Amino acid sequence: MTISVAVGLVGVSFGALAPAAGLSPAMTMAMSVLVFAGGAQLLVTGVLAAGGGIWAAVAAGLVLNLRHLPFGLALARHLGGGWARFPGAHVVTDESTAFVLARTGGTDGRARRAFWLLGAVKYGCWQLGTAGGLLLGAAVPDPSAFGLDAAFPAALLAMLVPMLRRADARRVAGTAAAVSLACAPFLPAGIPVLAGMLGLGAAPRPDGTAGGTS
């Protein structure tokens, strides 16, 4: 329930601010219905709002969503078979992956029910939140006056913080942040985010040594 409420609230901020980035209400709802990737949607819209080009925004969103590849592999046996895997893949999220793998005791039937229930509830809350945000944005001439413009970086930061418990994650995040900040004055909006991928060079190798070291 808590996860669903949080998802809906982030959806409200997305719906309220997306038109300010140049997205029409129809495009905003279409993105939520067809993409359903909160972090990627926030990042794409944030890049557009900062003046970045559409290709930089889309590339940034795709890079962020690459994390869903291992999620899908981990959840494959819980998605069912045949055509059922298509809607199942559509509702794979960070929260559903963590919940299903950590709290179902490895029981396939229980895990499958938990996955579909959480996925359906989150999907519905995200659509309602986006629609509510569009209505709110239309009623508020300047959403930034209420601090809603901070929703994009705040939401992305909230996704990042739990991952920083590990030393290797902090090293990668620190390197990525340094690269992005160094590139920001010289590159168009959105490109520094992609350049931050160079921070992966600081990730540890299988032998335990850090990347980029001998």
Side-chain angles (χ1 to χ4, degrees), residues 37-51:
Q41 290 180 228
L42 292 169
L43 181 57
V44 166
T45 312
V47 170
L48 292 176

Side-chain angles (χ1 to χ4, degrees), residues 38-212:
Q41 290 180 228
L42 292 169
L43 181 57
V44 166
T45 312
V47 170
L48 292 176
I54 183 63
W55 293 113
V58 170
L62 289 174
V63 168
L64 181 61
N65 265 5
L66 286 177
R67 71 190 191 282
H68 287 269
L69 292 177
F71 292 171
L73 293 175
L75 293 174
R77 74 176 191 271
H78 304 308
L79 301 184
W83 290 100
R85 290 204 167 191
F86 287 93
H90 191 53
V91 295
V92 169
T93 63
D94 306 68
E95 297 84 1
S96 62
T97 302
F99 185 88
V100 170
L101 296 182
R103 302 188 182 185
T104 57
T107 304
D108 284 352
R110 183 184 179 192
R112 187 174 292 110
R113 288 191 298 272
F115 169 78
W116 283 104
L117 177 60
L118 183 59
V121 171
K122 282 193 61 183
Y123 186 81
C125 288
W126 183 255
Q127 309 312 321
L128 290 174
T130 301
L134 285 170
L135 294 175
L136 176 63
V140 178
D142 183 11
S144 63
F146 291 84
L148 293 178
D149 55 327
F152 292 128
L156 293 175
L157 184 61
M159 293 175 59
L160 176 65
V161 168
M163 305 177 189
L164 299 181
R165 296 171 182 170
R166 296 172 48 182
D168 56 347
R170 292 193 295 271
R171 183 166 59 249
V172 171
T175 304
V179 171
S180 296
L181 289 174
C183 294
F186 310 104
L187 298 177
I191 302 301
V193 176
L194 300 179
M197 290 293 292
L198 295 174
L200 291 174
R205 295 173 178 171
D207 60 6
T209 61

